[in-house]
Amino acid sequence: KILSSNSEVSIRINSDSIYHPSIGLRYIIPQRTLNLFQNERYTSKSPYYNSYHNIDMYFEQLTWQIDQNYMIFGSFPGNAIGIASFESKNYFNKYEFEKMQGMDYVHPLIAIKGYSKYKGWDEFTATELANYLKMPIHLVKEMLVLLSTKGFIFYDSETETAKIKEKLYDFINANANIIDYDILRFNSRTKSPLENARLNLKNFDLTINGIESIQVSDSQNVFIFPKNQQIVMKQNRNFHFSGVVIAGLFRFEGKNFLFHYDSF
């Protein structure tokens, strides 16, 4: 077998990829089975960035028996309940943005953006940021780890270096109403042995299970309730589903709906 507690992984999907900066890896040679898994390292809790479907993916373990034409995304074996989340690249929630500031005088995302502009570069060390913010180094490290698990930065706790992701700038600009955003988050909760999601390696369809509802628009009060709690996601957040759509006073029920992200 091949084992690693800290692997940088890129899974190619044509010209796109599924990427994780720091994840546990185990390859069992006789069974030809690959596992990517969260471990005790905080950075392993960071999301996978999926540039094909344009989503951030939060789950515990990826499993691929490499002779099969699909990958499984879900929880660790033995868990009765599988929890995962699949979040649009352009997701924004004002309450979550404000909650991140807590008791701090300056919002952490705005502080990091300010330092990046001051330095003229989007990579920095924890020590450099602590000196700029005049904050204790241990508090800055805690902040960077937290922002890493939420997908705003890449952070390597061994080298104590960070790199800003586009999501950090997008959250700030969405809060200021400079750019458009969406609230698409697909929360998956399944009972064993049903997986949270399955990636078809022939056509790259991502089937997500255990979705009770999807809020499409908070201002227009639009919700989707997928039949069998399942959707099939195509490229760039387009997805097929059957079930019920509630839009204000209207209720639509049917089969083979297509949610088209660009039109949305």
Side-chain angles (χ1 to χ4, degrees):
K1 56 188 174 183
I2 302 170
L3 296 172
S4 171
S5 63
N6 181 22
S7 295
E8 182 178 8
V9 176
S10 183
I11 303 169
R12 297 293 181 184
I13 302 181
N14 293 336
S15 59
D16 292 294
S17 67
I18 295 174
Y19 173 80
H20 200 289
S22 175
I23 196 76
L25 178 148
R26 177 171 55 253
Y27 179 60
I28 308 300
I29 297 172
Q31 285 78 37
R32 294 167 60 81
T33 300
L34 173 71
N35 294 118
L36 304 177
F37 55 91
Q38 295 179 354
N39 52 31
E40 69 280 356
R41 298 172 60 89
Y42 286 109
T43 47
S44 74
K45 309 298 191 295
S46 302
Y48 292 80
Y49 176 57
N50 179 338
S51 64
Y52 180 83
H53 299 98
N54 271 330
I55 54 175
D56 286 339
M57 307 190 299
Y58 298 81
F59 55 84
E60 290 180 336
Q61 180 168 272
L62 180 153
T63 302
W64 181 32
Q65 203 291 320
I66 66 173
D67 297 311
Q68 295 177 334
N69 59 13
Y70 60 87
M71 293 179 175
I72 300 297
F73 305 157
S75 294
F76 293 128
N79 287 357
I81 302 295
I83 303 294
S85 181
F86 304 85
E87 190 177 279
S88 168
K89 172 189 172 184
N90 297 102
Y91 175 85
F92 173 74
N93 182 286
K94 192 171 185 67
Y95 170 76
E96 293 179 16
F97 179 86
E98 294 173 348
K99 185 179 178 181
M100 274 189 283
Q101 183 166 354
M103 300 297 292
D104 295 337
Y105 179 72
V106 180
H107 195 286
L109 300 187
I110 295 175
I112 290 175
K113 179 185 177 183
Y115 177 63
S116 173
K117 185 176 181 180
Y118 165 77
K119 188 179 180 182
W121 193 244
D122 61 357
E123 295 186 38
F124 54 89
T125 67
T127 300
E128 289 172 340
L129 183 62
N131 291 337
Y132 173 78
L133 298 177
K134 296 180 173 57
M135 287 176 59
I137 184 66
H138 72 278
L139 293 180
V140 170
K141 290 179 182 178
E142 290 176 5
M143 177 180 73
L144 293 177
V145 166
L146 178 63
L147 295 181
S148 174
T149 61
K150 292 183 178 296
F152 292 104
I153 61 171
F154 295 123
Y155 180 62
D156 188 328
S157 57
E158 289 185 356
T159 62
E160 297 181 358
T161 57
K163 182 177 181 179
I164 299 174
K165 290 178 64 176
E166 184 181 355
K167 181 178 178 179
L168 183 143
Y169 299 115
D170 287 346
F171 242 62
I172 293 172
N173 291 334
N175 184 65
N177 293 317
I178 295 174
I179 62 171
D180 288 334
Y181 61 87
D182 63 59
I183 59 169
L184 288 176
R185 175 185 280 167
F186 307 87
N187 293 317
S188 168
R189 179 184 176 90
T190 60
K191 293 183 179 180
S192 180
L194 182 63
E195 67 265 12
N196 293 106
R198 176 177 294 213
L199 178 66
N200 185 321
L201 298 178
K202 288 186 175 181
N203 55 18
F204 307 125
D205 283 356
L206 180 64
T207 300
I208 306 176
N209 300 305
I211 301 176
E212 185 175 326
S213 64
I214 304 164
Q215 187 174 16
V216 177
S217 171
D218 48 3
S219 60
Q220 302 297 325
N221 197 30
V222 180
F223 288 84
I224 294 172
F225 297 89
K227 184 179 181 180
N228 299 323
Q229 299 188 347
Q230 183 183 86
I231 68 167
V232 178
M233 184 171 291
K234 305 287 187 176
Q235 190 171 10
N236 188 31
R237 294 156 290 189
N238 300 329
F239 60 89
H240 285 281
F241 68 98
S242 298
V244 176
V245 180
I246 293 179
L249 300 176
F250 290 88
R251 173 189 171 98
F252 305 91
E253 185 169 355
K255 299 178 181 179
N256 301 321
F257 287 125
L258 170 64
F259 177 88
H260 192 266
Y261 185 83
D262 285 340
S263 298
F264 164 70

